[in-house]
Amino acid sequence: MQNINEDTITQAVIASLARCDRPRLRTIMTSLVQHLHAFARDVALTEDEWAQAIAFLTEVGHITDDKRQEFILLSDTLGLSMLVTTQNNVKPSNCTEATVFGPFFVEGSPVYQNGDDISNGAHGAPCYVSGQIRGVGGEPIPFAHLDVWQSDEDGFYDVQTPDASGETVMRARGRLTTDEHGRFHFRSILAEAYPIPHDGPVGRMLAATGRHPWRPAHLHFMIAAPGFETLVTHVFRNGDPYLDSDVVFGVRSTLIADWIEHAPGTAPDGTRFDAPWYSLDFDFVLNAGAA
């Protein structure tokens, strides 16, 4: 490896991987080296620019903790998350499309029954959500598990607003199970647009490149059932001004739905709303395969 220069260093690094006994890792690392080196050559990367890049990534790591995942935000805003999601979720045309997972999913969400209010005090206009889970042939999928989560009307998820003791009170998220006909219904709050956290390095990157930090209003779903591929997706609120400029590139036209406004009255399950309320009805179609 003596006398390596800018023309020979790429092949030297690739050659150093020859003893890697994990073929997939060797493939990934080889391609990563080739593309990184090609990038540096293409833009004639300077030492100062590379130092700034390292400082940026270091800061992304420093701000990341169990409440905030800045690396996911970085991947999302560069479109990498959606690219990986898309190329790994090719499904029959009548299946519900997948979209990005996002950084605010939490394991161990509260378990609710159909008809319960999952908002748990989160701020927002009341909303009644219903739908059915089906297979590609139209067959209902009974007892499928749904994880649901969303922000409040101020644009914050529960993990972003801990209580005075620093603990997270889980709000506007929960786990439900479909009935024997694959149907579900619950109460929550109206989905609203919100900005991703932009007070850190990813936010500065967006500002420097003339981009906004906003996501269109949406409701997250993760749906799992034996014999079917797990679906991670959103349902987006029709008419939102950010549908065509989602900062994480997650919108799909098939995932846009109407939230219908109602005067005070009774929901389909008999729930009484004394103030104006909204309803969303959306069905999901899962692809057959391993859960």
Side-chain angles (χ1 to χ4, degrees):
M1 289 191 181
Q2 297 182 28
N3 300 320
I4 287 175
N5 59 37
E6 63 179 288
D7 297 317
T8 61
I9 189 168
T10 303
Q11 289 307 313
V13 177
I14 292 172
S16 74
L17 300 170
R19 291 186 297 275
C20 178
D21 59 2
R22 297 167 59 184
R24 179 60 177 168
L25 176 60
R26 187 169 64 248
T27 296
I28 291 172
M29 291 301 298
T30 297
S31 183
L32 177 65
V33 168
Q34 289 173 325
H35 284 82
L36 278 176
H37 286 211
F39 159 74
R41 292 186 178 98
D42 183 47
V43 301
L45 195 66
T46 69
E47 291 175 296
D48 181 61
E49 289 165 341
W50 185 229
Q52 290 181 53
I54 290 173
F56 171 80
L57 292 174
T58 300
E59 189 175 357
V60 170
H62 284 166
I63 202 172
T64 297
D65 57 24
D66 61 341
K67 304 295 185 186
R68 175 170 179 158
Q69 233 304 350
E70 195 82 356
F71 276 108
I72 291 180
L73 288 178
L74 179 60
S75 174
D76 288 352
T77 55
L78 293 177
L80 183 59
S81 297
M82 196 60 210
L83 172 60
V84 173
T85 294
T86 301
Q87 66 186 12
N88 282 276
N89 285 275
V90 178
K91 305 175 188 296
S93 60
N94 60 333
C95 286
T96 303
E97 292 187 272
T99 190
V100 291
F101 197 42
F104 296 118
F105 173 76
V106 174
E107 294 282 359
S109 295
V111 175
Y112 291 97
Q113 301 299 313
N114 277 300
D116 284 350
D117 184 357
I118 74 168
S119 64
N120 193 28
H123 296 156
C127 184
Y128 177 85
V129 181
S130 61
Q132 186 182 36
I133 314 299
R134 300 192 301 269
V136 293
E139 70 280 10
I141 302 176
F143 315 120
H145 296 292
L146 287 77
D147 273 279
V148 185
W149 65 105
Q150 68 177 106
S151 71
D152 63 19
E153 68 179 1
D154 298 316
F156 294 108
Y157 288 80
D158 48 12
V159 295
Q160 296 175 281
T161 55
D163 63 18
S165 67
E167 296 298 315
T168 295
V169 178
M170 292 193 182
R171 296 188 173 100
R173 73 170 70 239
R175 299 201 72 195
L176 302 102
T177 302
T178 61
D179 65 17
E180 64 272 22
H181 304 293
R183 298 190 177 278
F184 64 90
H185 65 282
F186 60 90
R187 285 171 285 150
S188 188
I189 55 175
L190 178 65
E192 300 279 9
Y194 65 86
I196 64 168
H198 57 285
D199 58 341
V202 170
R204 291 198 300 276
M205 178 196 74
L206 293 175
T209 54
R211 295 174 59 191
H212 69 69
W214 285 85
R215 296 220 63 203
H218 60 274
L219 185 57
H220 292 263
F221 286 87
M222 181 166 69
I223 304 171
F228 294 88
E229 295 178 356
T230 296
L231 172 67
V232 175
T233 194
H234 307 356
V235 181
F236 294 92
R237 185 176 164 193
N238 196 13
D240 190 283
Y242 298 106
L243 286 172
D244 292 323
S245 61
D246 180 10
V247 68
V248 306
F249 309 98
V251 177
R252 295 293 178 268
S253 61
T254 61
L255 302 177
I256 298 172
D258 292 319
W259 266 254
I260 300 173
E261 185 176 6
H262 304 270
T266 304
D269 68 346
T271 299
R272 174 71 189 178
F273 291 104
D274 296 326
W277 58 286
Y278 292 80
S279 66
L280 166 68
D281 187 73
F282 195 88
D283 295 344
F284 298 88
V285 178
L286 304 188
N287 192 30

